[in-house]
Amino acid sequence: MGFFKSLFGGANESPEEKKEREAARNFDVLKTNGLQALRTGHADYAINSLTQALQLKDDLEVHDYLSQAYAQAGQYQQAIEQLNILAEAQPDNIHILAAMAKIAYMMEDYNAMGATCEKAMLIDKDNAEVMFLYARAARGRNDLVNAVAMYTKTLMLNADFATANLERGEILLGMGDIEGAAEDADHLMEVAPDAEDALLLKGQVLMAQQQPAEAISHFDRAIAINPYCTAAYKERGAARLALGDKEGAESDMRQLLELDPDAMKGITGGFAAG
């Protein structure tokens, strides 16, 4: 009898019991609908459903989903507020702190990102993801030497963390360490030969090594993978110009400007002139 009463209510169910049963049912429906909306990319609907669910019942899992929905909608401050609630409830949960660091990264608040990573490292100083996020925070603050050191530590903790190779290689190339950048680029060509960003880095390294013809082949592959890759058109145009292919360089320039009308701001005078 108790089972059927829980499903359908009983003849002796009080108004308070009925209200609680309906609230619990509505909470479950709103939570489920919110999660489904989050997973299908309907952030606004997810936010609405999950917010209503929290009005019926305070639930940490719903706060987590809501933080993700806010982040998906680009409402980063609201996402941080939800994560702060989670962090207060579970102060030793490193995954919550990592999520907060990622939101800070999206907000380009690198000081807050670094501080959050430092808190996380007090929990686990050998967490590769946290070290990687700390490296990104240092890079965002233009603390490039420390960023390289932290990317290196990330790779010591997890040798398969290819994004750390990519971002370290980009920094090393910008610092003029062509040999170091080449090592990262070559590693990426082994583990992710069809990755657009890896192909770009390898091509840029080849340009720095005065090998424009070889660089073009990598930019060609990047464009084949993503025809909208503006960086590849820009880099290939510069490589073609270096080989004296003015017509090819101008073709890449036209394609670049078609995809990104503001791209002229990042083009050198020589390339712009064709």
Side-chain angles (χ1 to χ4, degrees), residues 22 78 122 167 232 241:
E22 290 179 348
Q78 292 88 334
L122 292 176
E167 297 188 10
L241 192 64

Side-chain angles (χ1 to χ4, degrees), residues 8-266:
F8 307 112
N12 297 323
E13 184 179 36
S14 69
E16 290 77 11
E17 290 174 327
K18 181 179 180 180
K19 184 178 180 180
E20 290 177 2
R21 175 171 55 82
E22 290 179 348
R25 181 188 62 193
N26 290 337
F27 171 82
D28 289 338
V29 170
L30 288 165
K31 180 177 179 179
T32 299
N33 289 346
L35 179 57
Q36 290 176 341
L38 175 64
R39 288 175 173 171
T40 55
H42 296 87
D44 290 340
Y45 186 87
I47 290 169
N48 184 57
S49 296
L50 296 169
T51 300
Q52 289 186 59
L54 286 173
Q55 292 172 357
L56 297 173
K57 177 184 176 182
D58 191 33
D59 182 90
L60 292 180
E61 195 171 29
V62 173
H63 283 295
D64 184 16
Y65 296 151
L66 187 54
S67 74
Q68 296 176 49
Y70 277 130
Q72 195 175 94
Q75 299 180 42
Y76 301 129
Q77 188 56 51
Q78 292 88 334
I80 287 290
E81 290 171 3
Q82 295 301 314
L83 289 169
N84 278 331
I85 293 171
L86 294 173
E88 289 179 9
Q90 300 179 4
D92 293 330
N93 189 325
I94 198 168
H95 300 293
I96 294 171
L97 292 171
M100 294 176 72
K102 291 174 184 177
I103 297 297
Y105 179 70
M106 296 175 190
M107 297 172 70
E108 300 183 3
D109 188 346
Y110 303 116
N111 289 328
M113 184 182 184
T116 301
C117 290
E118 288 170 2
K119 290 180 182 178
M121 286 190 291
L122 292 176
I123 300 170
D124 182 359
K125 63 181 177 61
D126 294 324
N127 184 290
E129 181 184 26
V130 170
M131 185 59 63
F132 172 75
L133 292 169
Y134 202 22
R136 278 190 160 180
R139 186 182 188 185
R141 295 193 299 263
N142 204 36
D143 186 2
L144 300 183
V145 173
N146 278 328
V148 168
M150 292 168 194
Y151 283 124
T152 301
K153 178 69 179 296
T154 300
L155 290 164
M156 291 172 62
L157 295 169
N158 180 359
D160 297 325
F161 211 129
T163 309
N165 283 111
L166 174 68
E167 297 188 10
R168 183 178 67 178
E170 291 172 343
I171 293 175
L172 291 174
L173 185 60
M175 295 172 68
D177 184 355
I178 300 172
E179 183 177 351
E183 290 178 3
D184 278 322
D186 289 341
H187 175 74
L188 290 168
M189 287 297 93
E190 292 178 5
V191 301
D194 295 322
E196 176 186 330
D197 289 341
L199 289 165
L200 281 172
L201 177 61
K202 179 61 177 177
Q204 290 167 337
V205 168
L206 287 167
M207 282 293 290
Q209 293 173 331
Q210 306 298 316
Q211 301 179 60
E214 292 81 356
I216 287 173
S217 68
H218 288 79
F219 299 138
D220 286 343
R221 288 170 59 193
I223 290 169
I225 292 168
N226 177 13
Y228 302 97
C229 181
T230 55
Y233 287 107
K234 176 181 176 181
E235 297 288 352
R236 189 176 68 178
R240 284 175 165 176
L241 192 64
L243 289 171
D245 181 5
K246 181 179 178 181
E247 183 177 347
E250 290 177 346
S251 174
D252 279 330
M253 168 63 77
R254 288 191 295 269
Q255 186 64 48
L256 173 63
L257 294 179
E258 182 178 330
L259 293 172
D260 181 8
D262 294 329
M264 182 70 75
K265 298 174 183 177

